[in-house]
Amino acid sequence: MIAKHKTRVMVTGGAGFIGSHLCDLLLKRGYDVLCVDNFYTGTKHNIIHLLDNPFFELLRHDITFPLYVEVDQIYNLACPASPVHYQYDPVQTTKTCVHGSINMLGLAKRTRAKILQASTSEVYGDPEVHPQNETYWGRVNCTGVRSCYDEGKRCAETLFFDYYRQHRVAIKIGRIFNTYGPKMHPNDGRVVSNFVVQALRGEDITVYGDGSQTRSFCYVDDLVEGLIRLMESDESVTGPINLGCPVEFTVRQLAELVLRTANSSSKLTFKPLPPDDPVQRKPDITKAKEILGWEPRVFLEEGIIKVVEYFRSVLPS
Ligand code: NAD
Ligand code: UDP
């Protein structure tokens, strides 16, 4: 008798920070995983421990080009997420969001796969509504330096809904809020990895602006659980659904927490605030709680301990 095949899951951006954690958890849960990545910000180190697993495959591919594979589910995570990296080649960022989504949606349409889009809190821009819930349309500058990412991700959501209405593709949209954890790249440029790396190296902690802007930080293990619950949710659930931690911190509070946790004597240094940097951000996760039975479990204080331990183990002493 031939065994029933495992569910074949493709993770684009699977060698990146969140994608590599997602590949780990999917394999643990018994899925057959195809990781697709062009290694723009991701690295083979993030998935090297999976390369001997017969249910894990790695494909170097840029999703702005068409791809022909047979899969049952697609998690579309490919896209640089750090402002430093998505602004480095903004045209490629927009192409990844827009052409990449068209290619992945076309693949979902042909294979009848379910497809989940890793969208972002950036679709809300610099919000006037606080906390942000999914009915808020956002306040995004369409000509600024963040627009390649913000508008790219907004256009991707439009495409997902048009493929859903026009072609009946089974879509799921998760709006991810700031997520952190082990395997962030030391040069990633986002606030948590910057602060922890600076604290461990005894360098100044670069606070942009006066540090009063807020973010809400979700630990990566919690986030990937939310992504899988969203993918496995009832067919009628398309989202968008916010996935993030509803506890808000100022950037300055984060810096102080990192200094205490790393037992570091680094000093804070204040740098200019980047253009269009959102002043406040906190998700309303009522929908995620009600529809997915999901909410984060890891407090920032615990998560930062894990990130400090991780960077202690990978940075040269
Ligand atoms: P990351 O930069 O670590 O991972 C992105 C991955 O996508 C990398 O491995 C990169 O090499 C790959 N990639 C980029 N362009 C590609 C292309 N054209 N073709 C194939 N692969 C490509 O970022 P992350 O934090 O892991 O984010 C993953 C996804 O989650 C992104 O789509 C991001 O927009 C979304 N997201 C992340 C956060 C967060 O806080 N981490 C918040 C909101 C949304
Ligand atoms: N930030 C900072 N110092 C850094 C990196 C970032 O003060 O070294 C600030 C940044 O200006 C923003 C917040 O931290 O207000 C979160 O930035 P990040 O790049 O992590 O993500 P964003 O939420 O802006 O996409």
Side-chain angles (χ1 to χ4, degrees):
M1 195 177 90
I2 299 172
K4 188 175 174 298
H5 79 72
K6 288 173 176 252
T7 304
R8 298 158 305 178
V9 181
M10 180 168 89
V11 180
T12 76
F17 159 53
I18 297 178
S20 57
H21 285 273
L22 180 61
C23 289
D24 281 341
L25 189 57
L26 287 167
L27 287 163
K28 267 191 209 134
R29 300 254 168 106
Y31 294 88
D32 188 328
V33 176
L34 169 62
C35 167
V36 172
D37 205 295
N38 68 352
F39 303 113
Y40 180 60
T41 50
T43 144
K44 281 189 190 164
H45 290 293
N46 285 341
I47 35 123
I48 200 160
H49 58 291
L50 303 176
L51 294 177
D52 287 340
N53 185 329
F55 296 105
F56 180 79
E57 287 169 88
L58 175 60
L59 177 64
R60 181 193 290 267
H61 176 79
D62 181 330
I63 63 155
T64 63
F65 297 96
L67 177 62
Y68 293 89
V69 290
E70 306 307 314
V71 288
D72 305 305
Q73 297 182 355
I74 302 166
Y75 288 85
N76 189 34
L77 271 63
C79 185
S82 161
V84 179
H85 296 296
Y86 70 63
Q87 289 170 28
Y88 177 75
D89 186 350
V91 174
Q92 173 67 11
T93 301
T94 303
K95 277 189 188 169
T96 296
C97 292
V98 178
H99 294 191
S101 291
I102 292 172
N103 288 329
M104 294 307 103
L105 285 160
L107 173 55
K109 182 182 159 205
R110 180 179 63 77
T111 57
R112 297 182 185 281
K114 276 196 275 190
I115 181 165
L116 181 149
Q117 168 66 354
S119 191
T120 168
S121 51
E122 291 286 329
V123 301
Y124 302 121
D126 192 4
E128 313 104 319
V129 169
H130 194 73
Q132 295 79 53
N133 66 37
E134 295 84 348
T135 59
Y136 176 49
W137 287 359
R139 184 164 75 114
V140 177
N141 174 1
C142 68
T143 59
V145 291
R146 294 175 85 100
S147 315
C148 57
Y149 183 76
D150 300 8
E151 296 290 14
K153 290 283 188 179
R154 285 168 68 92
C155 184
E157 288 201 13
T158 307
L159 285 162
F160 269 67
F161 270 93
D162 285 335
Y163 269 76
Y164 168 68
R165 285 184 286 253
Q166 196 175 333
H167 300 299
R168 296 276 138 220
V169 170
I171 62 155
K172 309 274 178 192
I173 294 179
R175 290 187 178 154
I176 303 171
F177 283 63
N178 296 67
T179 298
Y180 71 98
K183 292 194 193 172
M184 293 187 90
H185 196 279
N187 297 329
D188 178 274
R190 279 175 282 183
V191 68
V192 172
S193 45
N194 269 11
F195 285 2
V196 172
V197 169
Q198 290 161 346
L200 292 177
R201 287 183 175 151
E203 295 168 358
D204 285 349
I205 307 288
T206 53
V207 175
Y208 301 160
D210 62 4
S212 62
Q213 70 274 33
T214 67
R215 295 293 187 272
S216 309
F217 300 99
C218 184
Y219 191 65
V220 65
D221 289 357
D222 283 331
L223 193 272
V224 295
E225 175 66 37
L227 290 176
I228 294 179
R229 286 196 192 191
L230 177 55
M231 180 64 98
E232 297 299 347
S233 60
D234 188 85
E235 207 181 306
S236 62
V237 177
T238 57
I241 294 192
N242 288 339
L243 294 172
C245 184
V247 186
E248 193 178 5
F249 287 82
T250 66
V251 164
R252 193 177 174 132
Q253 284 173 323
L254 174 73
E256 282 156 4
L257 173 63
V258 168
L259 286 176
R260 279 199 305 280
T261 312
N263 200 14
S264 166
S265 53
S266 291
K267 301 277 173 280
L268 304 190
T269 178
F270 293 87
K271 303 272 184 194
L273 193 65
D276 295 339
D277 199 287
V279 173
Q280 54 181 1
R281 182 182 290 157
K282 174 167 101 153
D284 177 336
I285 59 163
T286 309
K287 262 180 106 174
K289 279 188 192 162
E290 285 176 6
I291 298 171
L292 309 177
W294 177 87
E295 65 183 311
R297 292 163 178 269
V298 179
F299 292 106
L300 185 63
E301 292 77 2
E302 296 167 51
I304 292 294
I305 294 175
K306 291 176 201 266
V307 178
V308 167
E309 280 168 4
Y310 168 75
F311 279 115
R312 274 215 175 99
S313 72
V314 296
L315 292 177
S317 52

